[in-house]
Amino acid sequence: MTDKSLISITDFSREEILRIMELAAEFERDSSQQTLQGKIVASLFFEPSTRTRLSFESAANRLGASVIGFSEPGNTSVTKGESFHDTIMTVANYSDIIVMRTNLEGAPRYASEISRVPIVNAGDGANQHPTQTLLDLYSILKTQNRLDGISIMLVGDLKYGRTVHSLIQALAEFGARFTLVAPRELELPQEYKDFLHERGLTFVETTEIGQEIGNVDIVYMTRVQRERFSDTMEYERVKNVYVLRNEMLAGTRPNLRILHPLPRVNEIAVDVDSNPKAYYFEQTENGVYVRMAIMSYLLGLK
Amino acid sequence: MKHDKKLEVTAIENGTVIDHIPAASLFKIIDILRLDKETHRITFGTNMESKRMGTKAIIKINDRYCAPEEINRIALVAPNAVVNIIEDYAVTKKLQVEVPDEIRGFAKCANPKCITNHEQMGTAFKVVRGVDGRGEPSLKCCYCEKVTYLDQLQIIK
């Protein structure tokens, strides 16, 4: 029973994370609970994001809430030069909870300080995307029947990938073992390595997927983007190294599952899709249950 | 030519003297304490000789006593500064500045995409150590969560 905001994954304790997992499972068993009947969810997408917005709006509708908002800032008061502050103060008077995606980093934190209704961060620039992390955790829990002591391989852009950073922070609470696979230019920032060291967690760094894939429970793929490279020659050299193909899954653990925050471009070959170990589409379905759980929890209705 | 034995900067009767400021930090401190907006009589000295520091700067503010929390703001750019409270030409209190755990209002976040650089709002940072690999304090923005290193520090005017 709470009335708080979710801005950064570190805002939630281990107990709160587990509570969200429990609630998500409850909504998965019965997705027609009208927990938010009569409530209004404001969905403010200052930066477009089709997948996240639809997932939130689907969750709100399933809970019986009405949704107001915008999917991009064009044709709104924002383009007339209204401050972010004034937009939030106004929308807080029209709604019971605000879901927002911004390109400016820290904007949801600021909103949570001035708004009288809870704020859910649906992604702020390269900073945080906590609802993605919670749905990643739920997908891990569902496929492995546990969160403690998972062996996970994170592949691709570990430098700029915010989903990777938040997932590492969250899984550290559960004593995970990490294998970090990235090109030198995109390796995990030092602050996150320090974070793991401080908690006494082991991690292996490598530049190729290699044999280690046989020793993990989860492979978390991310996209290696051309624009992240200062040296385009380097990009050409590595772009195919971080592609997961079906034949690489031979001999892997039976409980292995492949996760990806999506959208995918070419980092998972389409021949993986039909492998039962591919889990990225189920992962998006889990997103709806997790967001139902988050909104109900933040409003103190569950 | 006659040499007068004179103090480089004259003593003040009442007020605050901030000593042992790195010469390079003087103008940052003027901004942090907003001394450019002050109406009290102030004397600045810079590139002065210092046995300990080589060169140093000094600030003497007449008839104004700075509160410790105000003074601690300068610790980021002048960690060894000493603040002397002067009453009737005598030092009545000597304060060593301390780096605070939290900083509000005067430092600018180095992240151009941070909300604080786009809205009319105050900034807020947690002071963290070790992230620069040298053990010096750095500022972690409470909004965008990015770190501003001391050598990037700009003061909001």
Side-chain angles (χ1 to χ4, degrees), chain A residues 36-73:
Chain A
L36 262 63
Q37 179 103 56
K39 299 287 182 191
I40 296 176
V41 175
S43 159
L44 308 186
F45 279 68
F46 294 92
E47 182 186 67
S49 165
T50 314
R51 188 179 322 276
T52 305
R53 181 173 60 83
L54 292 181
S55 172
F56 265 110
E57 293 183 4
S58 167
N61 280 306
R62 280 194 190 281
L63 291 167
S66 313
V67 179
I68 59 170
F70 49 83
S71 54
E72 41 133 356

Side-chain angles (χ1 to χ4, degrees), chain B residues 101-132:
Chain B
D101 297 331
E102 219 182 73
I103 286 216
R104 286 187 176 270
F106 66 88
K108 184 176 167 4
C109 180
N111 174 11
K113 285 185 71 188
C114 178
I115 181 75
T116 59
N117 289 316
H118 296 264
E119 281 278 308
Q120 288 192 356
M121 61 182 284
T123 61
F125 300 88
K126 282 210 155 42
V127 177
V128 292
R129 284 171 192 279
V131 287
D132 67 339

Side-chain angles (χ1 to χ4, degrees), chain A:
Chain A
M1 304 308 109
T2 166
D3 201 78
K4 64 183 276 185
S5 294
L6 174 58
I7 307 301
S8 173
I9 190 65
T10 49
D11 293 349
F12 269 9
S13 65
R14 181 190 157 102
E15 285 66 38
E16 284 179 299
I17 290 174
L18 291 172
R19 177 70 183 140
I20 296 295
M21 300 295 104
E22 222 174 81
L23 289 175
E26 196 183 308
F27 282 118
E28 181 165 5
R29 281 193 299 274
D30 176 8
S31 63
S32 62
Q33 301 179 58
Q34 303 287 292
T35 316
L36 262 63
Q37 179 103 56
K39 299 287 182 191
I40 296 176
V41 175
S43 159
L44 308 186
F45 279 68
F46 294 92
E47 182 186 67
S49 165
T50 314
R51 188 179 322 276
T52 305
R53 181 173 60 83
L54 292 181
S55 172
F56 265 110
E57 293 183 4
S58 167
N61 280 306
R62 280 194 190 281
L63 291 167
S66 313
V67 179
I68 59 170
F70 49 83
S71 54
E72 41 133 356
N75 288 328
T76 67
S77 57
V78 179
T79 55
K80 293 180 193 162
E82 186 180 47
S83 70
F84 179 76
H85 171 273
D86 291 4
T87 307
I88 298 309
M89 293 303 274
T90 310
V91 176
N93 288 329
Y94 299 158
S95 58
D96 298 292
I97 186 167
I98 299 174
V99 174
M100 67 167 68
R101 160 72 61 107
T102 62
N103 59 339
L104 290 179
E105 293 159 12
R109 176 74 66 197
Y110 179 52
S112 74
E113 290 176 355
I114 59 175
S115 163
R116 57 183 194 82
V117 301
I119 304 290
V120 184
N121 180 5
D124 60 328
N127 185 29
Q128 288 276 342
H129 192 3
T131 65
Q132 176 72 45
T133 309
L134 289 165
L135 84 86
D136 292 341
L137 289 176
Y138 185 60
S139 300
I140 293 170
L141 177 64
K142 248 179 88 176
T143 58
Q144 309 297 323
N145 290 316
R146 64 191 169 109
L147 284 176
D148 287 294
I150 294 290
S151 178
I152 181 169
M153 173 183 271
L154 298 142
V155 184
D157 181 356
L158 307 188
K159 183 173 183 183
Y160 298 101
R162 64 181 171 197
T163 57
V164 166
H165 301 162
S166 303
L167 187 58
I168 287 174
Q169 285 178 323
L171 277 176
E173 291 283 317
F174 297 92
R177 182 182 176 277
F178 298 94
T179 305
L180 308 172
V181 185
R184 293 255 176 268
E185 287 210 31
L186 298 180
E187 67 178 54
L188 190 71
Q190 189 58 41
E191 58 179 298
Y192 292 97
K193 293 185 197 170
D194 290 345
F195 171 86
L196 291 175
H197 280 305
E198 279 165 26
R199 277 159 187 74
L201 294 170
T202 51
F203 62 90
V204 180
E205 286 187 277
T206 149
T207 53
E208 274 173 48
I209 294 173
Q211 297 302 313
E212 191 56 26
I213 195 168
N215 301 321
V216 299
D217 307 310
I218 294 286
V219 172
Y220 195 91
M221 296 295 298
T222 63
R223 186 150 57 100
V224 173
Q225 292 166 280
R226 181 193 301 269
E227 56 270 27
R228 299 295 191 202
F229 283 81
S230 50
D231 179 356
T232 49
M233 291 284 285
E234 176 69 8
Y235 170 77
E236 292 302 322
R237 199 180 65 75
V238 305
K239 67 177 181 186
N240 291 320
V241 177
Y242 304 96
V243 176
L244 187 69
R245 298 173 203 288
N246 200 31
E247 70 259 21
M248 298 161 85
L249 297 175
T252 53
R253 292 181 178 178
N255 62 317
L256 173 74
R257 292 295 177 272
I258 317 295
L259 301 185
H260 190 303
L262 302 182
R264 156 182 69 172
V265 179
N266 62 351
E267 58 278 12
I268 302 179
V270 285
D271 64 1
V272 178
D273 293 1
S274 53
N275 191 311
K277 291 176 179 172
Y279 194 73
Y280 27 93
F281 295 117
E282 287 94 331
Q283 193 182 352
T284 62
E285 185 196 336
N286 292 338
V288 177
Y289 306 129
V290 168
R291 288 176 174 122
M292 289 169 85
I294 291 165
M295 287 190 283
S296 304
Y297 177 76
L298 292 178
L299 282 170
L301 298 169
K302 276 283 183 185

